[in-house]
Amino acid sequence: MGWTWSTDAGYLKCGGQFTGNTFTYTNNTSKKQEIVSITVKCATGKGHFHYDGVADGDGGAITVWFECYRDPSTKSNVVTVTNRVTPTPTGGLDRSKLVAQTFTFSRAVPVDPGKSMPIYWDFLGGNSTSRCMCMSPREITGVVRTVDDTPKTVTATFNANGGKFSNGTTSKTVTVNSGSIPTAPENPTKSGSNFAGWSPPVGPITSNTTYTAQWGEVVPEGFRIYWHASGGQFSDGSDQMVRTYQGGQSEWVAPQEPVDYTGRIFQGWSPMSPWSGPPDVHVYAQWEAAPPKEYTVIFDLNGGIDWSGTPLTQIVQEGSSAQAPNPTRDGYDFQGWNTDAWRYVTGDVYAVAQWKIKQYYIYYYPNGGSGSTQMQVKNHGDTVSIYNNSFSKSVRVTYDPQGGSVSPYYRDRTQTFANWDTSPSGTGQTWWPGDRYSSDQNLALYAQWQSTTIGPLPIPSMTDAFFRGWHDRSHGGAAVDESQFIDSDITVYAYWAYKVFYHANGGECDLETQIKEYDVGLNLHSYILERKGYRFLGWSTNQYATSPQYRPGGVLNTNAVTHLYAVWERASYTVTFDLGIGTYTGGAALVQTVTYGGSATPPNTPTHSTRKFFGWAGDYRNIDSDRTIYAMWKASWIWRYNGRTWERFY
C-alpha cells in the first residue's frame, strides 16, 4: 500500500490544543482504486485520549471520538470511529482505547492511477484543552479495492419454447455490452399456436438472460385487435401490434407487454377483455408516471471556504440544477468547477473547485536605458529575489563647431547602473539586486544610473578664427571641460574669435584687420576712405553693394569671419548751359546733374533775332567738377552797297 505520513513529530496529535494531522495514500497501480477504510495502530500502550478539563454539567466525564475526512474545510466523506471513549477527567489517561482503530468511509474515496489522496485526522468533542495522541512507532493500513472499469459483456438467449426459428433452431443467442438492449431475432413459429411475445419483455440487461417465447391459441379469422404501446415500444421496436381473433372467445392474450425506457411503469391495457367483436378493437397500454430520480451532488471546495452556508452535499432530482457554493481561498482566484454536470443533473456528481494561485508582477523599467521592460512573476505567498540589472545606458555628447569643423562629431559615454527605485526620479524606495520581496502586490522598479563625465573634448578648427573653448549653450553658455558630470544627452558648442578684414573696393585703404570675440560686438574703424570721383558711404559684406550695412565706426555683431567691402557712390556735378542773349528752344535742360566722368547733353540750338549762334564755350564732356557752358553769338549779317542797291552780307 502507498500510505505515508505527511508530518511526524513523534506522535499523531489532534483536536483541542493541537492542529490536525495528514496522511496520504498514493495509488501506484495502473487502475483506478477506492479507499474503503483506514486502520490506525499506535505504539502499544501509547495511544490515548487525554482530557484536561471538565465539561459543564457532565460531572467530570465526556464522550469524545475521532473523525477522518478528505477536506478539513468541508469535512466531506466523514468517517467516525466505531467505539467512543469516556476519558477520565482532568489529567486522566486511558491508554487502552486507541491501540488500533478502524475508520470506514461513508462513501468509498476514488483515487486515480498515479495520483495521491490526502486524508486529514482530527479529534471532535471535549473542550479547547481536550486532545488525543498516537505515539510512534505507529502503523497505518487500509482497505483499498481496485475498480474494474473494463467493459462487460453478457448474453441474451431467446428460447422458442416448443417452436422453431426460420433456420430450424429452437434457440438463438446474442452477446451485448452490459446495460444494452439485445436485439430480438425474428418471431418463432409453432403449429397450432400464435406467438404472443417474449417473457420477460426485452430490455436492458446487466447479466446473462434467457427470454422465453409465449404462445396463444390459433383461432380462425374473426376480428382484429390493435395493441398500441402508447409511447412505449414492443420488442421489435414498433409501437403497435395487430392480431386477428375468432369471435366468441371470453379472453384474449396480449402479444407481449411493451416497455418504456423513460422509466414509466406498465399498468395493463384499456379497455380490458372480454371482447366479443366484431368490429375491430383498439387497445392502449396504460402507464404510471415514473417517480423522479434523485442523485447526490457533492461540492468539494478543494481547500476553499464558503461563507454562504450552501450545503456541500445536495440531493437533486434528475434534470434539475444544484445550488453551487461561491467559495473563496486566500491567495487564489476561483476558476469554477471541474464539471458543469451539477447544472443539469443526470446522475451522481462530484464537483471539485478549481483554483488558480494569484500572481503578482514586478516590472523592471530601463528608465532611459536600452532594452525592453522586463516582468517577474511572483505567486501569492512566495518570496522572490529582485533581479540583477540587464539594461545598459549611455549618454551622447555632440560637438557643434558652429561654422568650424570637428572630428568626431559625437561620443557616447557609458553610465553605470546604481540601483532600483520605485520612482523614476530616484525619490522613492530603493531596492538592490538580490533583495527579497514578499508583498502580495505589484511592484514597479526603475533603473537608477550613475552620472558620467563629458570626457575628452576634440579641438575644432576654422580658417581665420581662433577657438575659445566649448560651452553648454550656443549663446550665453558656461564653459565645459572633460571632468564635468552629465546624466543625459548634451550638445556642447564651440566659441570663436573671428578676423574682420577691410577691402577698399577701388579706393585707398590701409586699415588693420580686427578681431571680433564670440557674442561681443566689435566697433569698426571710423576712418573715412577717399576715392577720386566717389563718395564713401560705409561698409558691406557684399562687394557689389550700393548701400552700406555698417557706417564707419559702427558695431559688428555677426559671429563669423567677416570681409567688409567699401561702398562707394559716384560724385555728381552741376553743368549749366548759359544762353546769354539767346532764346531756349527745347531739348535738354539748361541745368543738368552729371556723375563723375559723364557728359552733359546740350539743349537745342538757341536763337536770337539779330545774332547767330555759333557754338558753346566750355567742355561739357568727362565732367569732373561743376561748370557753366556759354552760348557763343555773332552778328547775323551786315548791309553793304553794291553800287546799285543794299544787300545782306554774312
Side-chain angles (χ1 to χ4, degrees), residues 170-466:
T170 59
S171 67
K172 285 189 175 183
T173 301
V174 294
T175 301
V176 296
N177 288 335
S178 178
S180 300
I181 302 173
T183 301
E186 79 280 6
N187 294 338
T189 60
K190 182 181 179 183
S191 177
S193 298
N194 182 38
F195 178 69
W198 298 102
S199 178
V202 178
I205 58 176
T206 57
S207 60
N208 296 336
T209 303
T210 297
Y211 294 98
T212 303
Q214 303 299 300
W215 300 101
E217 182 180 1
V218 177
V219 296
E221 289 190 7
F223 64 93
R224 289 186 296 272
I225 300 179
Y226 294 83
W227 304 87
H228 298 277
S230 303
Q233 65 181 43
F234 296 102
S235 60
D236 61 359
S238 66
D239 61 358
Q240 173 183 288
M241 284 190 172
V242 181
R243 294 291 184 268
T244 301
Y245 299 92
Q246 181 180 6
Q249 290 185 219
S250 62
E251 187 171 350
W252 310 102
V253 178
Q256 61 180 255
E257 288 187 2
V259 294
D260 182 82
Y261 297 116
T262 64
R264 293 187 300 171
I265 301 173
F266 179 68
Q267 298 295 305
W269 301 96
S270 178
M272 300 297 290
S273 58
W275 306 295
S276 58
D280 296 341
V281 176
H282 291 267
V283 182
Y284 298 90
Q286 304 299 300
W287 302 97
E288 179 182 290
K293 294 182 180 179
E294 292 184 335
Y295 298 99
T296 300
V297 178
I298 297 175
F299 291 98
D300 185 340
L301 301 187
N302 192 19
I305 298 175
D306 178 53
W307 300 101
S308 67
T310 302
L312 302 182
T313 300
Q314 302 174 28
I315 304 301
V316 181
Q317 290 186 358
E318 183 177 30
S320 298
S321 173
Q323 181 182 359
N326 186 22
T328 59
R329 184 178 178 185
D330 185 37
Y332 291 80
D333 291 320
F334 180 58
Q335 302 294 299
W337 305 94
N338 67 328
T339 177
D340 285 333
W342 57 270
R343 298 181 183 276
Y344 187 86
V345 176
T346 59
D348 290 342
V349 178
Y350 189 84
V352 181
Q354 304 298 294
W355 301 99
K356 180 181 179 182
I357 192 167
K358 289 184 177 179
Q359 292 184 324
Y360 308 94
Y361 302 95
I362 303 175
Y363 298 94
Y364 297 87
Y365 296 98
N367 198 19
S370 60
S372 301
T373 299
Q374 294 183 340
M375 182 179 70
Q376 182 180 8
V377 179
K378 174 195 171 301
N379 287 335
H380 183 88
D382 286 354
T383 299
V384 297
S385 295
I386 297 299
Y387 280 172
N388 292 323
N389 171 56
S390 63
F391 304 125
S392 61
K393 185 175 186 292
S394 61
V395 292
R396 175 163 292 186
V397 181
T398 302
Y399 311 109
D400 186 344
Q402 298 212 93
S405 60
V406 66
S407 179
Y409 291 109
Y410 67 87
R411 282 193 179 98
D412 289 328
R413 303 287 292 165
T414 300
Q415 290 184 263
T416 302
F417 174 77
N419 56 269
W420 300 105
D421 197 280
T422 56
S423 170
S425 63
T427 57
Q429 183 179 2
T430 299
W431 289 86
W432 302 92
D435 282 353
R436 303 287 285 169
Y437 181 71
S438 60
S439 297
D440 289 328
Q441 56 186 356
N442 294 336
L443 177 67
L445 295 178
Y446 300 86
Q448 302 298 305
W449 304 97
Q450 295 180 359
S451 298
T452 187
T453 59
I454 287 182
L457 293 167
I459 303 299
S461 62
M462 182 188 294
T463 302
D464 294 328
F466 307 97

Side-chain angles (χ1 to χ4, degrees), residues 589-608:
L590 298 179
V591 179
Q592 300 177 29
T593 300
V594 181
T595 59
Y596 175 79
S599 298
T601 301
N604 295 337
T605 300
T607 61
H608 189 271

Side-chain angles (χ1 to χ4, degrees), residues 106-129:
S106 57
R107 180 192 296 267
V109 180
V111 186
D112 290 332
K115 301 296 184 179
S116 297
M117 178 63 65
I119 301 177
Y120 300 83
W121 167 286
D122 202 357
F123 170 66
L124 302 177
N127 60 15
S128 62
T129 60

